[in-house]
Amino acid sequence: MSRYTTGEIAKLCEVSVRTVQYYDTRGILIPSELSEGGRRIYSEEDLKKLKAICFLRELDVPINSIKELMYDEHPKKVITLILDEQEKALQTEIAERQARYNKLEALKQSLKKVERFSVESIGDVAHIMANRKKLRRLRTRLLVVGLLMDIAQIGMLALWIIKGCWLPFAAVLCVVAAVGGITVYSYYQQTAYICPECHTVFRPSFQRFVLSRHTHSIRKLTCTSCRHNGFCVETYRNNRKSS
């Protein structure tokens, strides 16, 4: 039967001698015998055990859990439970790292759109990223309401053309105008804009909001703080102070 010194068994398992000695002091890899000079001697069975320990440690299984496994009467059940818990922990870690990676990628893409970069620009991008889900939901609601109003108008217009009855169309037109005004004002109340010059988050007047040139994410406004006139980035209005 093969016999190994501490250095030999460490080399075979690609770990340090100190690691093997540490496992001995923790009681999870006790040598099969000691030489006359007090040197640790390990058997073939010890080698297999060390390989198993190294594998579990690569999976980040705690030392205490490995020790319990080594002395349990039913190691299969114990290791199954240990690996299940470790799997859950790794899944959580992967999800957290994926979320950080997604933020990193979003930050990189957002910074490409910043013409004049400064430290404050990172704060602006972070603010936009933190609120993009809320802003997306807000825009979706606006789109749905708009589509429903279009359907109602088209339906009543068809009824007018086919039946010659114009009153339903007129009534729906009034309702659409009222709902449209309320929806736009609600959207205005829940949005704010970031000035690219002074990085102030502000809200323009409702009139300026309605009449200004815009796309789905920017609007040409005059900053209420520095008076810069240009395209400002739309964001969801939250607890961040806005003027």
Side-chain angles (χ1 to χ4, degrees):
M1 181 179 289
S2 300
R3 298 165 73 246
Y4 307 98
T5 64
T6 302
E8 290 170 339
I9 197 173
K11 186 175 181 180
L12 288 171
C13 292
E14 298 181 346
V15 296
S16 67
V17 170
R18 183 170 294 182
T19 298
V20 177
Q21 294 171 342
Y22 173 70
Y23 290 155
D24 183 10
T25 59
R26 293 299 301 268
I28 61 173
L29 185 67
I30 300 172
S32 298
E33 60 179 289
L34 294 176
S35 67
E36 292 182 1
R39 298 177 65 187
R40 297 175 176 87
I41 303 297
Y42 295 92
S43 66
E44 192 69 33
E45 195 66 28
D46 293 331
L47 176 61
K48 293 178 181 178
K49 186 181 291 186
L50 179 57
K51 288 181 177 179
I53 293 170
C54 292
F55 176 73
L56 292 172
R57 288 301 294 146
E58 286 178 2
L59 296 175
D60 285 335
V61 176
I63 291 291
N64 290 337
S65 297
I66 296 175
K67 185 176 182 179
E68 291 176 7
L69 173 64
M70 293 299 174
Y71 292 102
D72 196 270
E73 294 180 359
H74 305 284
K76 183 178 179 180
K77 293 181 179 179
V78 176
I79 194 169
T80 299
L81 289 174
I82 290 173
L83 294 180
D84 284 346
E85 290 300 313
Q86 199 63 20
E87 182 181 16
K88 292 176 184 177
L90 287 173
Q91 288 174 345
T92 300
E93 183 180 347
I94 290 170
E96 291 174 349
R97 288 180 178 272
Q98 184 63 49
R100 289 200 294 269
Y101 175 79
N102 292 341
K103 287 183 178 180
L104 176 64
E105 282 299 306
L107 177 60
K108 287 171 62 179
Q109 294 301 320
S110 298
L111 287 176
K112 290 179 181 178
K113 301 175 183 178
V114 178
E115 295 182 2
R116 285 176 289 182
F117 177 79
S118 66
V119 175
E120 290 84 357
S121 299
I122 298 178
D124 294 342
V125 172
H127 181 263
I128 294 167
M129 289 170 56
N131 293 282
R132 60 182 174 177
K133 289 184 179 179
K134 295 178 181 178
L135 188 59
R136 190 181 299 121
R137 286 196 294 266
L138 182 62
R139 288 170 177 167
T140 301
R141 287 199 297 269
L142 184 66
L143 179 61
V144 170
V145 172
L147 288 174
L148 291 175
M149 290 192 298
D150 287 342
I151 292 171
Q153 290 180 87
I154 293 170
M156 292 304 101
L157 180 60
L159 182 65
W160 183 7
I161 294 171
I162 296 171
K163 299 291 186 179
C165 182
W166 60 271
L167 285 176
F169 178 76
V172 166
L173 197 61
C174 293
V175 172
V176 165
V179 172
I182 293 171
T183 302
V184 171
Y185 186 74
S186 175
Y187 186 85
Y188 162 74
Q189 290 280 50
Q190 297 179 73
T191 53
Y193 293 85
I194 303 175
C195 173
E197 288 294 320
C198 67
H199 308 281
T200 297
V201 180
F202 69 96
R203 233 176 14 122
S205 66
F206 183 65
Q207 180 182 7
R208 182 65 175 164
F209 169 83
V210 173
L211 299 178
S212 61
R213 290 169 53 197
H214 64 278
T215 68
H216 75 287
S217 60
I218 58 175
R219 192 174 293 264
K220 191 171 184 181
L221 300 166
T222 300
C223 175
T224 57
S225 179
C226 70
R227 310 309 299 173
H228 167 75
N229 182 261
F231 284 102
C232 301
V233 181
E234 188 173 75
T235 185
Y236 188 84
R237 187 186 180 206
N238 58 9
N239 294 329
R240 182 174 171 178
K241 188 176 180 180
S242 60
S243 57

